[in-house]
Amino acid sequence: NKFFKLSSGINAEYGGEGISTSVDKNQSQATKPSKKGATKASGNCVPDAFYWSIDEVASWVEDIGYWQYKGCFTENFVDGRKLILMDANSLPRIGIQDFDHIKTICQAIRDILGIEGPDSKRTIYLPPRDH
């Protein structure tokens, strides 16, 4: 069994006060997770995915077309809090090795968070100089 551990907050030495890990008991949760969206909680915009259970994350993975990775997420106890912190570096640690699948899953995570993907056409190459 592979287990995956994610940090649950920002260390105070970096100037952060930490990320609250409490869940509002009055927060309603849908049976099936929504693909996008955010909930206003205490003035902060919190993505709906933050409140997903392990089973809801597994359902989402299946919904995006990667049913074969449901076990990777459930065996590593990936809930919504962990999912929103995952990136291309963390997916291989839970058993997802195919690079194209990693890219697609990362894009789906960015989509539910409303984050723009990296610009793959960006370069550090300098154009030739005119002499």
Side-chain angles (χ1 to χ4, degrees):
N1 266 347
K2 296 179 186 177
F3 290 96
F4 183 74
K5 182 178 178 184
L6 287 172
S7 173
S8 63
I10 300 170
N11 194 330
E13 72 186 58
Y14 295 108
E17 295 178 9
I19 297 173
S20 173
T21 58
S22 63
V23 176
D24 183 3
K25 300 286 184 196
N26 297 325
Q27 175 72 31
S28 64
Q29 294 183 1
T31 304
K32 195 165 194 179
S34 62
K35 302 271 188 242
K36 288 187 179 184
T39 304
K40 282 282 192 182
S42 307
N44 296 325
C45 190
V46 179
D48 289 340
F50 180 83
Y51 298 104
W52 291 355
S53 68
I54 294 168
D55 291 333
E56 289 173 318
V57 170
S59 174
W60 171 80
V61 169
E62 187 173 28
D63 288 347
I64 63 170
Y66 292 101
W67 55 268
Q68 67 270 36
Y69 297 128
K70 280 179 71 171
C72 295
F73 285 85
T74 55
E75 290 169 10
N76 289 284
F77 308 103
V78 178
D79 60 5
R81 294 176 189 193
K82 291 179 184 176
L83 178 69
I84 65 173
L85 297 174
M86 297 189 99
D87 60 13
N89 291 321
S90 55
L91 291 174
R93 289 185 278 184
I94 67 167
I96 302 170
Q97 301 296 322
D98 186 289
F99 185 64
D100 288 328
H101 294 180
I102 290 170
K103 289 191 306 184
T104 305
I105 293 169
C106 286
Q107 181 59 53
I109 293 170
R110 285 190 299 270
D111 288 346
I112 63 174
L113 297 175
I115 298 172
E116 189 176 316
D119 183 5
S120 61
K121 298 191 189 307
R122 205 172 104 194
T123 180
I124 60 171
Y125 173 76
L126 295 174
R129 295 184 191 175
D130 293 331
H131 292 283

